[in-house]
Amino acid sequence: MPSRVPRIAPSEITPPETYCNRRAFLAGAVAAGAALGSAGAAVIPARAGTPLHYAYDARDSVDALVDAPDQNRTPNTLEQISDYNNYYEFGTGKTDPAEYAGRLQTRPWNVAVGGEAEITGSFPLEEFLRPYALEERIYRFRCVEAWSMVIPWVGFPLAQMLTRFKPTSRAKYVVFETLYRPSQMPGQRVPILQWPYREGLRIDEAMNPLAFMVVGLYGRVLPNQNGAPLRLIVPWKYGFKGIKAIVRIAFTEVQPLTTWSQAAPDEYGFYANVNPNVPHPRWSQESERRIGNPFFHERQPTLMFNGYANEVAYLYKGMNLHRFF
Ligand SMILES: Nc1nc2c(c(=O)[nH]1)N[C@H]1C(S)=C(S)[C@@H](COP(=O)(O)O)O[C@H]1N2
Ligand SMILES: [Mo]
């Protein structure tokens, strides 16, 4: 254990995931950071719910990372976050993933990295994640809004991961792929979507500090239905960009085909930025309901880029967002 890190019993610390309020969060952050006892020991346990070491790193902070859209949002409960999911590999019902994803074996797990990068290959998850478990790069805590919920994710910035593989100047996009394993993913035995599920980002979007690779939730290993062992969160985009159970990452020169835009090109574009001004062909996107809100049926106005415009609007300067939706 590094000597400059004082030992503090976990019980003395107010867990930061109990609030998503920025000011309260910053006050609690120091203590949370000091709780990193055996940093670097286990890379990441396989079992959902196992406590994870994580820290809040002030160097990593812009206001938006914690709670941009709203100053006093209470995070959704673990039950809300893990009992109501979209994960078509386990079925199209919102409770199918909670019911069936437990059978997915998340070890051994390999992540293949390919395409326009200097370092490519297939990496066992432990090796893939090892840098983030080292003392200086411990998992980060971030409270972000996604899919009408406020969720205390644990993970690390996507940019930090991508730069390790030294993408070349030809890398204009990055594409992600989900595991294809029909024996454990019953939804894949049915052609609901073109399997495996695929998502992509433009490289500058992927390098924005808000794009986040997730390994945990509420300070613990991610439940399978939320995308264990590794999933993406892109807070300014619609939920479907947050691909789960990632096994392949590739850097490409051309814009990749993505599952939902292949399935319904008029309804789902490559960008999928949260945008109240661009209606979905079959519904308005001007307002949303907050899951878990006691006033659930009250709709709130949807904010441009999900409230993160200050952080991401520069990515789309001069682009026609009706055309590139
Ligand atoms: N592999 C895979 N990833 C996926 C999906 C999916 O069906 N398969 N659904 C997406 C959609 S539509 C949403 S809204 C989010 C939901 O993530 P959550 O269940 O953690 O809230 O996951 C996304 N990632
Ligand atoms: Mo979604």
Side-chain angles (χ1 to χ4, degrees), residues 38-44 129-139:
S38 52
V43 172
I44 179 176
L129 293 178
R130 185 162 290 118
Y132 311 103
L134 299 179
E135 197 221 327
E136 290 300 328
R137 293 167 153 208
I138 197 80
Y139 299 116

Side-chain angles (χ1 to χ4, degrees), residues 238 266-269 273-287 321-323 325:
Y238 288 108
D266 299 335
E267 304 194 13
Y268 303 104
N273 291 317
V274 173
N275 187 340
N277 310 316
V278 178
H280 182 279
R282 290 182 284 128
W283 54 79
S284 157
Q285 303 195 122
E286 289 173 15
S287 67
L321 296 182
H322 286 264
R323 181 153 173 242
F325 63 98

Side-chain angles (χ1 to χ4, degrees), residues 137-261:
R137 293 167 153 208
I138 197 80
Y139 299 116
R140 310 286 175 78
F141 167 86
R142 269 192 199 168
C143 210
V144 297
E145 304 221 16
W147 203 33
S148 300
M149 292 203 202
V150 179
I151 305 185
W153 300 111
V154 177
F156 45 88
L158 174 62
Q160 199 179 323
M161 185 207 85
L162 295 180
T163 49
R164 267 170 65 203
F165 298 98
K166 302 191 165 82
T168 71
S169 59
R170 283 191 299 276
K172 301 289 194 297
Y173 296 88
V174 57
V175 58
F176 303 87
E177 236 173 65
T178 293
L179 177 72
Y180 179 70
R181 190 183 288 161
S183 63
Q184 292 174 7
M185 296 176 135
Q188 288 180 332
R189 294 174 218 153
V190 189
I192 316 162
L193 291 171
Q194 233 172 291
W195 310 114
Y197 195 99
R198 195 172 289 129
E199 257 312 334
L201 296 170
R202 220 173 52 197
I203 195 84
D204 56 343
E205 298 179 303
M207 293 297 183
N208 182 280
L210 285 176
F212 203 56
M213 286 302 262
V214 170
V215 296
L217 171 60
Y218 265 106
R220 290 164 186 274
V221 172
L222 204 58
N224 284 358
Q225 59 267 39
N226 291 98
L230 186 67
R231 61 94 49 97
L232 178 68
I233 283 291
V234 195
W236 69 97
K237 294 179 182 274
Y238 288 108
F240 60 89
K241 299 298 283 188
I243 183 169
K244 295 170 168 171
I246 294 167
V247 292
R248 199 174 81 88
I249 297 168
F251 298 92
T252 64
E253 196 163 7
V254 295
Q255 184 177 303
L257 288 176
T258 55
T259 297
W260 278 104
S261 45

Side-chain angles (χ1 to χ4, degrees), residues 3-14:
S3 55
R4 62 190 172 77
V5 181
R7 195 182 284 276
I8 296 180
S11 58
E12 292 172 44
I13 295 154
T14 310

